[in-house]
Amino acid sequence: MGKDVIVACDFASKEDVFAFLDRFEGRGRKPFVKIGMELYYAEGPSIVHEIKARGHKIFLDLKLHDIPNTVMKTMKVLSNLGVDMTNVHAAGTRAMMEAAIKGLTREDGSRPMLIAVTQLTSTSGEALKNELLITEDMEKTVMHYAQNTKTAGLDGVVCSPLEAERVHSCCGSEFITVTPGVRFADGDKGDQVRVMTPAQAKEIGSDYIVVGRPITAAEDPVAAYERCVREFID
Ligand code: C5P
């Protein structure tokens, strides 16, 4: 399993994402691209085919959460789209996650990587307790959901870089951690609160970092991407 920098292409339209990706044409390494709900729902499956045709790997971040049968059938569709990584909510239960793997697995036994969201980082400890009625604290809940994810046979979880070490110690070093919330040491934090630099994320053992605005909003996105690669991988 290789370490990589995943660029969050949080653009509203095909035109915007292609204007961004055009800058990487003929400039070496093609970034692993994250397509989120906004772009996918705006443009449909063709956006996946078109970005793939340009030679990028794709993480389709749709965070499925439904009954196992529906998730299984939907994953079959996503698998046929040829994405490289996709995800579900661990809150959908182990049965749902097992169904997701079944749906994703192609006839030849291959399948995209599948990871789970444990608790969204936007959920506060207070909301966990008072709205979701989960009485264990956030950290225990996140680690328990990560263990459920591993038991169901998934490849890893999305988590804060600050949780990556703990996830590895409770689920094993082979269990993938995909971590957003990455900023350059001299960069703007934006609305992210708990951040790490690519070099720190490497140090604590993140497997994939997800980087959006530090690359997409940079004056020279290719240089910003290459800086991430240098700090995180090289
Ligand atoms: O622009 P920025 O680097 O903050 O983008 C981070 C990406 O990671 C966004 O697509 C955001 O939705 C996603 N993400 C996150 N925090 C999470 C889960 C996903 O920032 N806990």
Side-chain angles (χ1 to χ4, degrees):
M1 172 239 336
K3 288 194 174 255
D4 214 341
V5 174
I6 301 179
V7 180
C9 284
D10 295 322
F11 295 104
S13 72
K14 191 167 159 158
E15 290 71 29
D16 292 346
V17 75
F18 288 145
F20 171 73
L21 293 177
D22 279 347
R23 307 180 72 147
F24 291 84
E25 289 297 317
R27 303 257 324 253
R29 197 185 170 99
K30 300 237 176 176
F32 199 134
V33 162
K34 176 168 95 74
I35 301 176
M37 287 190 243
E38 183 187 13
L39 187 60
Y40 187 75
Y41 291 139
E43 301 290 353
S46 67
I47 193 72
V48 172
H49 295 306
E50 290 180 49
I51 295 178
K52 250 202 116 50
R54 287 170 168 242
H56 297 270
K57 285 191 171 174
I58 296 176
F59 168 21
L60 189 57
D61 180 17
L62 299 183
K63 301 187 180 71
L64 268 58
H65 187 176
D66 208 318
I67 61 170
N69 187 52
T70 301
V71 169
M72 181 179 74
K73 289 183 177 166
T74 307
M75 283 298 184
K76 200 172 175 117
V77 175
L78 301 186
S79 185
N80 288 336
L81 278 183
V83 300
D84 299 280
M85 181 189 285
T86 189
N87 59 0
V88 293
H89 271 282
T93 75
R94 293 209 298 259
M96 188 205 76
M97 292 192 273
E98 285 162 6
I101 292 195
K102 197 167 165 200
L104 270 185
T105 306
R106 305 181 186 105
E107 272 181 18
D108 64 2
S110 68
R111 67 165 171 81
M113 278 182 275
L114 181 62
I115 58 174
V117 175
T118 53
Q119 282 292 335
L120 293 169
T121 46
S122 52
T123 304
S124 65
E126 197 185 28
L128 193 75
K129 189 167 164 228
N130 300 332
E131 291 182 43
L132 305 183
L133 294 183
I134 295 174
T135 50
E136 300 291 354
D137 66 22
M138 184 63 79
E139 186 170 308
K140 196 157 178 206
T141 307
V142 166
M143 295 308 147
H144 185 67
Y145 281 28
Q147 277 166 332
N148 285 344
T149 303
K150 188 179 177 187
T151 306
L154 276 68
D155 304 299
V157 289
V158 184
C159 62
S160 143
L162 298 142
E163 291 161 354
E165 241 173 338
R166 185 93 208 276
V167 167
H168 278 141
S169 62
C170 96
C171 297
S173 59
E174 296 299 300
F175 193 67
I176 295 169
T177 53
V178 178
T179 61
V182 174
R183 292 294 180 265
F184 292 122
D186 51 2
D188 183 2
K189 284 210 295 188
D191 53 0
Q192 295 281 13
V193 182
R194 300 182 308 149
V195 299
M196 268 194 192
T197 65
Q200 287 166 332
K202 175 183 184 178
E203 188 109 323
I204 54 93
S206 276
D207 298 292
Y208 292 85
I209 51 172
V210 176
V211 190
R213 289 159 293 175
I215 295 175
T216 56
E219 214 162 283
D220 184 345
V222 179
Y225 170 71
E226 283 167 354
R227 179 175 173 191
C228 278
V229 170
R230 268 197 315 277
E231 284 192 26
F232 183 66
I233 307 174
D234 294 345

